[in-house]
Amino acid sequence: MKVLILGSGVIGVTSAYYLAKAGHEVTVVDRQPHPALETSFANAGEVSPGYSSPWAGPGVPVKAIKWLLMRHGPLVIWPKLDPVMWIWGLKMLRNCTEERYAINKRRMIPIAEYSRDCLRALRAEIGIKYDERSLGTLQLFRKQKQLDSTGGDIAVLKQYGVPYEVLDRNGCIGAEPALSAVKDKFVGGLRLPQDETGDCHMFTQALAVEAAKLGVQFKFNTTIERLVADGGRITGVVTSAGLLQADTYVAALGSWSTRMLKPLGISVPVYPVKGYSITVPVVDADGAPVSTVMDESYKVAVTRLGDRIRVGGTAEISGYSNKLDAARRATLDHSLTELFPRGGDIGKATFWSGLRPMTPDGPPVIGPTRYANLHLNTGHGTLGWTMACGSGRVLADMLSGRKPDIDVKELALTRYDHRFG
């Protein structure tokens, strides 16, 4: 088939690669001049199946109030006269029950675990390099209360067979030696040894090169204006370069999927939740992290990427604005300088923000739509990098008439055809 993929972030490019491997004629279109220049550009760098959990969970509404009042809180809300924002928020609140949390977690873990395995296989097959490390993730607790309340998370990890380690202060230092300089700042941690790290932007650009070798064509600097439908099929995509046509179309537009698909009568409950990051050059390797440390108090991830440190965090609900907020940078600076004061040169940090495409329940949306030749691969939230390879492989199998290696029926858009939406 001829397949047209809308979007060249990590989701779009992995979809293109696996579709090309399956023998399809693939074209990717994007408004940017290169792949992975928006949400995939400078995320936290984690490939963390063990942390694949929905944001909507028991106790989150109460925690949200506390976070909003913190000086370096992980949540920021700028209310707007936007009914889509409020409807999305209400749907998220409806999912903040133990029953819905369990269902949504069950939907997320398999695609995340499968995706990590696909990434490993891809790395072994083509030798792709992206400042990758396979040294696990350490969730660091500053307070004993946080460490004591890990029972629920550990029960879920046990349920899905995810290896873990509960560490005291010395155990944390054993995993991340640089923490020895600030051992009075924390009491313990929860380590997931099978998690990985890597530069998503570097990976996506390298994979785009490999996809091009397989015949994938990339149309950059091309703005997608609208999709054209006739009856139950998409007949083309109107772009700044003219009408583009294919047999099958894949929407991998992240937060922009909702606005692009709405005129077609397709309601995709994806809303942008802005995240921020700083990237800091390493000046003292012994004072820098070896992998990812998740600062639980501020929900900030500090990740080693080659000769750089990536610090990512914050959930800002403020519409589609990519405006940089100095107060959000202060939170990232604070976490880094508290935990790794000698590791990087904060004065040379680059500051970035990106719009995470969040669903109200947590899992992504992968699969068919009401139009026979239009498929979705969007809504991955904070886990696009974690779930990218698996999502691309699953979609390629679907479009090739093969049964995917894992069951993804519950990731389809049809799951919103009930009151939890």
Side-chain angles (χ1 to χ4, degrees):
M1 292 186 299
K2 291 184 178 181
V3 183
L4 182 62
I5 296 177
L6 312 181
S8 69
V10 68
I11 300 298
V13 171
T14 50
S15 298
Y17 177 82
Y18 285 109
L19 281 163
K21 283 282 287 185
H24 300 290
E25 184 179 332
V26 183
T27 300
V28 180
V29 59
D30 197 289
R31 61 187 175 188
Q32 297 290 350
H34 303 288
L37 291 184
E38 295 195 22
T39 304
S40 301
F41 182 71
N43 61 26
E46 299 172 85
V47 178
S48 301
Y51 285 113
S52 295
S53 301
W55 282 17
V60 167
V62 174
K63 290 179 182 178
I65 295 172
K66 176 184 175 183
W67 291 334
L68 289 170
L69 298 174
M70 288 172 58
R71 179 187 176 192
H72 293 297
L75 176 65
V76 179
I77 300 177
W78 295 104
K80 292 182 176 292
L81 296 175
D82 179 3
V84 176
M85 172 190 282
W86 294 102
I87 291 170
W88 180 88
L90 288 172
K91 288 179 178 179
M92 183 176 181
L93 288 174
R94 288 178 191 161
N95 279 277
C96 291
T97 66
E98 289 188 10
E99 176 191 6
R100 296 303 304 173
Y101 179 84
I103 291 172
N104 294 328
K105 177 87 174 180
R106 185 192 71 214
R107 292 169 173 171
M108 296 172 76
I109 288 287
I111 185 67
E113 294 275 344
Y114 177 64
S115 187
R116 183 200 54 216
D117 293 343
C118 289
L119 175 61
R120 289 175 174 173
L122 188 64
R123 196 164 61 223
E125 179 182 355
I126 63 177
I128 193 168
K129 299 294 183 183
Y130 50 94
D131 278 345
E132 71 279 359
R133 293 189 177 207
S134 301
L135 298 173
T137 298
L138 175 63
Q139 186 178 13
L140 198 69
F141 303 120
R142 293 174 180 260
K143 300 176 182 179
Q144 188 64 40
K145 182 179 179 181
Q146 294 171 330
L147 183 59
D148 294 341
S149 63
T150 57
D153 291 332
I154 290 173
V156 173
L157 295 174
K158 287 181 177 179
Q159 179 183 354
Y160 292 100
V162 179
Y164 69 92
E165 301 168 348
V166 179
L167 304 177
D168 59 13
R169 182 179 283 118
N170 289 332
C172 292
I173 293 171
E176 288 285 354
L179 292 174
S180 62
V182 293
K183 59 184 178 182
D184 59 322
K185 301 285 186 182
F186 60 93
V187 298
L190 177 64
R191 183 170 180 265
L192 302 179
Q194 289 195 353
D195 283 3
E196 301 186 1
T197 59
D199 188 319
C200 180
H201 173 247
M202 186 183 296
F203 169 85
T204 308
Q205 290 209 320
L207 190 63
V209 171
E210 296 297 324
K213 292 177 183 177
L214 297 175
V216 175
Q217 294 186 4
F218 289 89
K219 293 185 179 295
F220 294 118
N221 298 304
T222 304
T223 300
I224 300 165
E225 297 176 0
R226 59 188 174 90
L227 281 71
V228 182
D230 183 10
R233 297 183 66 83
I234 302 299
T235 57
V237 178
V238 178
T239 76
S240 58
L243 183 68
L244 301 180
Q245 294 181 298
D247 302 313
T248 297
Y249 302 82
V250 176
L253 293 165
S255 296
W256 300 95
S257 301
T258 304
R259 291 186 171 184
M260 190 61 64
L261 298 172
K262 184 178 180 180
L264 297 174
I266 300 174
S267 178
V268 182
V270 170
Y271 196 77
V273 177
K274 191 194 304 186
Y276 291 86
S277 76
I278 56 172
T279 305
V280 181
V282 171
V283 293
D284 181 350
D286 292 335
V290 298
S291 189
T292 290
V293 174
M294 172 62 72
D295 189 346
E296 179 62 20
S297 292
Y298 305 110
K299 303 293 184 182
V300 169
V302 185
T303 301
R304 178 73 170 271
L305 297 175
D307 59 359
R308 299 159 295 145
I309 302 172
R310 175 71 50 75
V311 187
T314 304
E316 181 180 303
I317 302 175
S318 57
Y320 285 80
S321 169
N322 253 325
K323 181 181 178 181
L324 293 171
D325 187 328
R328 306 288 78 78
R329 167 157 183 181
T331 299
L332 305 178
D333 289 358
H334 175 75
S335 186
L336 177 63
T337 55
E338 283 252 309
L339 298 180
F340 300 98
R342 298 184 296 108
D345 185 350
I346 199 82
K348 294 182 179 179
T350 56
F351 189 29
W352 171 89
S353 72
L355 302 178
R356 309 180 186 102
M358 299 289 295
T359 59
D361 51 344
V365 183
I366 305 173
T369 68
R370 57 185 288 191
Y371 295 90
N373 62 339
L374 175 62
H375 283 66
L376 305 179
N377 199 354
T378 187
H380 295 75
T382 59
L383 296 165
W385 180 205
T386 294
M387 296 182 174
C389 288
S391 298
R393 174 65 186 273
V394 160
L395 187 72
D397 286 342
M398 285 180 175
L399 296 184
S400 301
R402 296 192 298 263
K403 182 180 179 181
D405 293 332
I406 61 171
D407 187 354
V408 292
K409 290 193 297 291
E410 291 187 325
L411 300 182
L413 187 61
T414 52
R415 76 176 188 264
Y416 295 111
D417 295 339
H418 51 69
R419 65 188 181 89
F420 292 107

